Structures are given as structure tokens and as C-alpha cells.
Amino acid sequence: MPAQHLPDNLETLVLYCRAGFESDCALEVQTKAAELGIYGYCKTGEAYVCFVPANGRQDIERLLGQLHLDQLVFARQWYPVVVLAHLDRENRLGPVFEALAGWPRAGQLVVEYPDTNDGKALVGLGKSLSKPLLSKLQKQNRLTRKLRSDLPTLFVFLVAGDTLMLGWGCPDEINPHPMGIRRLKFPKEAPSRSTLKLEEAWHQFIPADQWDQRLAPGMKAVDLGAAPGGWTWQLVQRHMMVTAVDNGPMNAGLMDSGQVEHVREDGYAWQPSKGVEWMVCDIVDKPARTADMVIQWLLNGWCRQTIFNLKLPMKKRWDAVDLALSHIQSALDEAGLRYQMACKHLYHDREEVTVYIWRQS
Ligand SMILES: C[S@@+](CC[C@H](N)C(=O)[O-])C[C@H]1O[C@@H](n2cnc3c(N)ncnc32)[C@H](O)[C@@H]1O
């Protein structure tokens, strides 16, 4: 369903993010909305942000039409909502049904909570609300009996015992994963938990039908700051030949694969003798230093695709990310490179974000 058919009473946009990153998420959505001429204020909760634009629903429709969730770094999920606060604990569902009057038919009902300990404490309440809600909406034919992922999702976002948000998520605009989180199983054989960061990045940035082409067996890869080898392990699983650059020790089992060459050098100074397909980098250093290194790799044609982390120990994380990405973009644009670039604060990222760049010329 196109965004212009949003129910009338949706005047706020909720965005989920990692707890502690609310002000970055708020500043980013405000900045990107303002670039489109949409102005509003934010209210932050724990692990979520509400963006309230000046012209309510009209602004939200325009924003959802012109900005995609993938273009936001810090938001895991977003959808328009109506906020129901100060609910009577004896009759929470009365106002819910009132607010839902006139909403079109949804393809599924999803009840969620902020990704925090307080949020987890609301799971029981969510379950007790969803049963009667589901059965009444289905009886009224306002919710399909079988899940329909081609229809919008009706969200109930519970933020406190007496406060919830009713949301409307159109299929092309929302993150399909519960809580906006892609859960991955830690592979027992991998040398470090960091391995999940690279795996999640591939899922985030490379469509499944392009893995065979962009993560192909036999490709050459360089892993800067590789030890003990979680990222190298992922590259080896894709049957790539990997140069692992790190002064620290690599996992012995991984070295036994015969697909890894360990080079004990400074990752910021080391250069490949010939171009490779992939360069990945998980070194903890200043974003500006990593950005300069990545620019050098791309402009010299040392790699075609790269995934790297920008580490963010500072307070103003959105400013630091914006600065580093703008710097890379200007350098690549000035050189006339054609490329795709995307950046996300992944679930497995902590004080860092992950960037993907694919050089196409
Ligand atoms: C976060 S760990 C990398 C973890 C790795 N991605 C994994 O999945 O196992 C960062 C690594 O960067 C290395 N490192 C730090 N500065 C470096 C530099 N200038 N050159 C190469 N490696 C560096 C450290 O020795 C450390 O092993």
C-alpha cells in the first residue's frame, strides 16, 4: 500500500535503536528530514525515538516516500504511530479499538517492546493484550487470518504498563525482522564473536541473490586487524583466499585451512602487491584515520568492495559518522568514482558502525 493511504491519526514516527544511541538516532532523523524540508522535534525513550514533524501525517508520508530505512545509520526499525498514554490498566484495549477505527486491513499483528530490560518486563502484558486484539480484529475482518506479508503490519509497541503506540508499517518501508534485529547463530568453530559483525554486514548490505557474485569462491580478500580471525573465518567459509594483517596471533585452526596468509604488519601502512576483491577492517582507531585508509584503497584500485567499522567511543557519534562518511564521499566523488555506499549500526555492533562500499568503476 502506498504511503499516502496512511490512517489519519498517525502523526508521530517511532524509530528503534540500540539503548544509549537515542540522541544520535534523533539527530540523524531530524537532520535527514530537514534536508527534505521536513521539520520536527524528537522525544527519546530508552532504545527508541519519536519524531514529531510539524505537519503530522502529511510530513510522515513525504518522509517515508523519500527516505528509506536503509539510509538511516542508527535506526533499526521505523513506522508511523499514534501514541496512547495514561491508559486505564483495567481497560487498555478500549482506547486501542477506538484509535483503530477506520484503519484498513492488516496482514499481521506484531507486539513489540523496547530492546531493554524494562522492555523485556512487558512481554507478559503484550501476550495478554495480543490474544483478544487478534481475535476481535480477525472477526471484524480487519486482520487477515493467515499472515500476509504483502499487506501492512499492525504494530503494538508497548513502552510502559500504561503507554503503547499503535503503528502501521508498509512492507517496503519497514525492517521485516522482529524488533528490527537480525538474529544470527554464533558458529561454534569461529575464533571470535566478532565474526557475527561481518556476517550481519553481508546480510545487511548484499542482497541474497547477489552473494554468489559478490562473495564468490576464489576471490582474494585482505583482513586488516584480523586477529584472532572471526572475520577471516567468514571469508574462508566463502572459500576466499585471505591475507590477514595483524601483529597479534591468528587462530591456529583457521591457519590450518591453507587459505590464510598471516602478515605481521601495520594495517594502515601495508599495501597489496596486486588489487583484490575484498578489503575488510576491524581495527580500533579514529574514524578519520580509517576513512583516509579506505579512500587510499579505493582510489588506488586496491579493492573493489570493502566493509569496515568506524569506532565511536566519543559522545557525539552521529557527528563523527557524518564527518567520516562525507569525507569519503567527497574524495570518491572528486575522483569521479562510481560506487555504492551504505552505513548501518548493526545489532552486533556496539560502540561502532559498519560501512560498505562497492566500487563500480
Ligand atoms: C577488534 S580486533 C579484530 C577482531 C577480528 N575482526 C575478529 O573477528 O577476530 C582488532 C585487531 O586490530 C589489531 N590492530 C590494532 N591496530 C592495528 C594496526 N595498526 N594494524 C594491524 N592490526 C591492528 C589488534 O591487534 C586486534 O587484533
Side-chain angles (χ1 to χ4, degrees), residues 225-263:
W231 287 27
T232 294
W233 184 87
Q234 290 287 345
L235 295 160
V236 166
Q237 293 305 297
R238 297 296 304 171
H239 306 285
M240 296 192 199
M241 302 302 291
V242 188
T243 305
V245 184
D246 201 309
N247 271 316
M250 290 294 287
N251 174 276
L254 188 57
M255 296 309 296
D256 288 345
S257 68
Q259 280 166 254
V260 184
E261 181 195 1
H262 184 189
V263 178

Side-chain angles (χ1 to χ4, degrees), residues 14-23 25 43-50 76 112-122 157-160 165 179:
V14 72
L15 301 99
Y16 304 176
C17 63
R18 174 183 275 277
F21 288 74
E22 299 84 1
S23 57
C25 182
K43 288 190 276 191
T44 57
E46 208 190 342
Y48 70 92
V49 169
C50 287
R76 291 175 178 169
E112 294 186 337
Y113 330 83
D115 183 28
T116 60
N117 286 336
D118 287 351
K120 282 190 197 101
L122 294 165
F157 186 49
L158 261 180
V159 297
M165 302 183 198
M179 310 276 286

Side-chain angles (χ1 to χ4, degrees), residues 191-197 223-232 245-249 263 265-269 281-285 289 311 352:
S192 71
R193 284 205 73 80
S194 290
T195 197
L196 292 177
K197 289 195 290 184
D223 184 356
L224 304 177
W231 287 27
T232 294
V245 184
D246 201 309
N247 271 316
V263 178
E265 285 196 42
D266 177 2
Y268 285 108
C281 176
D282 189 21
I283 298 177
V284 181
D285 210 310
R289 192 166 184 223
K311 308 287 176 177
E352 63 205 328

Side-chain angles (χ1 to χ4, degrees), residues 21-289:
F21 288 74
E22 299 84 1
S23 57
D24 305 290
C25 182
L27 199 55
E28 182 185 16
V29 71
Q30 264 178 322
T31 306
K32 290 186 174 165
E35 283 166 8
L36 298 168
I38 298 166
Y39 304 97
Y41 67 89
C42 282
K43 288 190 276 191
T44 57
E46 208 190 342
Y48 70 92
V49 169
C50 287
F51 176 60
V52 188
N55 299 309
R57 184 173 56 93
Q58 281 174 325
D59 278 350
I60 292 179
E61 285 167 357
R62 219 152 61 72
L63 189 59
L64 291 173
Q66 292 184 46
L67 191 68
H68 195 269
L69 180 60
D70 288 346
Q71 292 167 273
L72 290 171
V73 175
F74 290 101
R76 291 175 178 169
Q77 179 62 291
W78 72 345
Y79 50 84
V81 294
V82 52
V83 183
L84 304 182
H86 312 299
L87 292 171
D88 176 355
R89 284 159 199 260
E90 301 304 314
N91 176 30
R92 291 184 183 89
L93 285 180
V96 167
F97 285 114
E98 263 171 52
L100 288 177
W103 286 32
R105 197 160 65 120
Q108 65 174 322
L109 171 70
V110 167
V111 182
E112 294 186 337
Y113 330 83
D115 183 28
T116 60
N117 286 336
D118 287 351
K120 282 190 197 101
L122 294 165
V123 172
L125 175 59
K127 281 190 183 144
S128 71
L129 294 180
S130 67
K131 249 191 166 177
L133 195 54
L134 200 76
S135 102
K136 189 159 171 183
L137 290 174
Q138 284 178 340
K139 265 191 206 134
Q140 294 175 341
N141 198 26
R142 312 228 333 258
L143 182 68
T144 55
R145 285 186 188 273
K146 278 195 184 149
L147 187 152
R148 286 265 309 267
S149 50
D150 58 321
L151 289 180
T153 297
L154 172 60
F155 285 96
V156 175
F157 186 49
L158 261 180
V159 297
D162 67 349
T163 306
L164 60 80
M165 302 183 198
L166 290 176
W168 190 250
C170 294
D172 296 342
E173 293 164 0
I174 56 171
N175 183 336
H177 300 285
M179 310 276 286
I181 296 171
R182 184 181 270 105
R183 303 242 171 224
L184 298 173
K185 203 164 166 255
F186 175 65
K188 279 196 299 293
E189 324 76 52
S192 71
R193 284 205 73 80
S194 290
T195 197
L196 292 177
K197 289 195 290 184
L198 186 58
E199 188 184 345
E200 187 185 356
W202 284 342
H203 285 292
Q204 172 69 31
F205 300 124
I206 305 183
D209 62 359
Q210 291 189 31
W211 277 40
D212 287 348
Q213 177 204 337
R214 280 148 79 177
L215 291 165
M219 281 178 165
K220 293 204 165 42
V222 172
D223 184 356
L224 304 177
W231 287 27
T232 294
W233 184 87
Q234 290 287 345
L235 295 160
V236 166
Q237 293 305 297
R238 297 296 304 171
H239 306 285
M240 296 192 199
M241 302 302 291
V242 188
T243 305
V245 184
D246 201 309
N247 271 316
M250 290 294 287
N251 174 276
L254 188 57
M255 296 309 296
D256 288 345
S257 68
Q259 280 166 254
V260 184
E261 181 195 1
H262 184 189
V263 178
R264 291 177 192 274
E265 285 196 42
D266 177 2
Y268 285 108
W270 187 84
Q271 299 178 6
S273 53
K274 259 175 88 180
V276 298
E277 179 66 30
W278 274 97
M279 182 274 280
V280 297
C281 176
D282 189 21
I283 298 177
V284 181
D285 210 310
K286 290 193 177 64
R289 192 166 184 223

Side-chain angles (χ1 to χ4, degrees), residues 308-355:
F308 56 93
N309 278 158
L310 295 174
K311 308 287 176 177
L312 304 172
M314 65 289 289
K315 271 213 173 107
K316 293 189 168 178
R317 304 182 189 104
W318 160 243
D319 292 344
V321 171
D322 192 30
L323 192 72
L325 295 182
S326 306
H327 175 51
I328 295 173
Q329 218 167 336
S330 315
L332 301 187
D333 289 347
E334 230 167 77
L337 240 65
R338 276 188 39 235
Y339 62 95
Q340 274 183 21
M341 177 158 118
C343 176
K344 201 76 190 171
H345 189 205
L346 301 173
Y347 177 65
H348 294 96
D349 283 338
R350 289 177 181 270
E351 302 272 296
E352 63 205 328
V353 293
T354 302
V355 187

